Amino acid sequence: MIGVWLWSAAWADPVALRGLRDEPTVVLGLHDLSASIRLGEVGVAATVRTDRGAVDVAVGRRWQLRRGSRGWQIDGGVSGGLIVPLVRPTLGLTATPFIAAGPVQSGWAIQGVIAAPLAVTAVGEARLPLLFELQGAGTVGRVTIGPRFGVGPVVTPGTDTSFATEGALVVSLAPKHVTR
């Protein structure tokens, strides 16, 4: 039972892959520090819990599903990776499907996100959250910066359902465009 309780606290979520912009992103959160970069069509993220409970490395892809004439857009994405819970050393796999919607303009953006950062370890422990997130940002030059908040239920088999809250500052940096 103690191992299951520890596992419920030892998870990492590649939040940087769900940023407002599909650009290199750093998320400075209360519970996680996450950074991502683009490698062609996919993003790669590394995450560490601020309490040093787990580390995670993930790859993911984001698609623009629909864009309206007034800047509203709907994005979907998925990521997957490896997690190492440090409070009870083992290996695990993560999968995070998400959908995001809201106005995305050149100078600002706001999106509501529904994400399910699932994790399962090699010894069969699982963490099944459903997060409802809100993120907004303004852009100045190449930098986009803004807050991100998330809440939702977390099911960890063998324990009671808990409630997760997350708060973070998200910073993205658009790459320089080289003109010839």
Side-chain angles (χ1 to χ4, degrees), residues 13-21 27 61-63 65 72-79 96-104 109-117 129-137 147-153 164 166 170:
D13 179 8
V15 173
L17 291 175
R18 296 195 303 274
L20 285 165
R21 309 275 189 214
V27 178
R61 178 107 193 262
R62 182 182 190 119
W63 294 274
L65 303 176
W72 277 81
Q73 86 183 37
I74 300 173
D75 298 332
V78 66
S79 66
T96 306
F98 74 90
I99 190 158
V104 178
I110 299 172
Q111 281 192 323
V113 182
I114 299 174
L130 181 62
L131 298 178
F132 300 92
E133 303 170 345
L134 181 62
Q135 52 189 350
R148 179 190 164 281
F149 303 99
V151 297
E166 297 180 354
V170 181

Side-chain angles (χ1 to χ4, degrees), residues 117-137:
L118 313 169
V120 178
T121 68
V123 294
E125 297 166 329
R127 185 175 192 283
L128 314 165
L130 181 62
L131 298 178
F132 300 92
E133 303 170 345
L134 181 62
Q135 52 189 350

Side-chain angles (χ1 to χ4, degrees), residues 1-10 87 125 156 158-159:
M1 180 65 156
I2 290 174
V4 171
W5 179 83
L6 289 174
W7 169 241
S8 69
V87 295
E125 297 166 329
T156 304
T159 67

Side-chain angles (χ1 to χ4, degrees), residues 21-113:
R21 309 275 189 214
D22 204 8
E23 301 167 341
T25 300
V26 173
V27 178
L28 307 168
L30 297 175
H31 305 294
D32 295 299
L33 302 175
S34 183
S36 70
I37 60 169
R38 305 296 312 162
L39 296 176
E41 293 292 314
V42 299
V44 177
T47 305
V48 63
R49 289 274 304 180
T50 55
D51 62 6
R52 288 175 258 143
V55 294
D56 175 85
V57 177
V59 296
R61 178 107 193 262
R62 182 182 190 119
W63 294 274
Q64 187 179 88
L65 303 176
R66 178 120 168 90
R67 177 126 175 116
S69 60
R70 297 182 190 251
W72 277 81
Q73 86 183 37
I74 300 173
D75 298 332
V78 66
S79 66
L82 292 173
I83 187 169
V84 179
L86 301 176
V87 295
R88 183 174 175 195
T90 185
L91 285 176
L93 297 175
T94 64
T96 306
F98 74 90
I99 190 158
V104 178
Q105 307 292 331
S106 61
W108 62 274
I110 299 172
Q111 281 192 323
V113 182

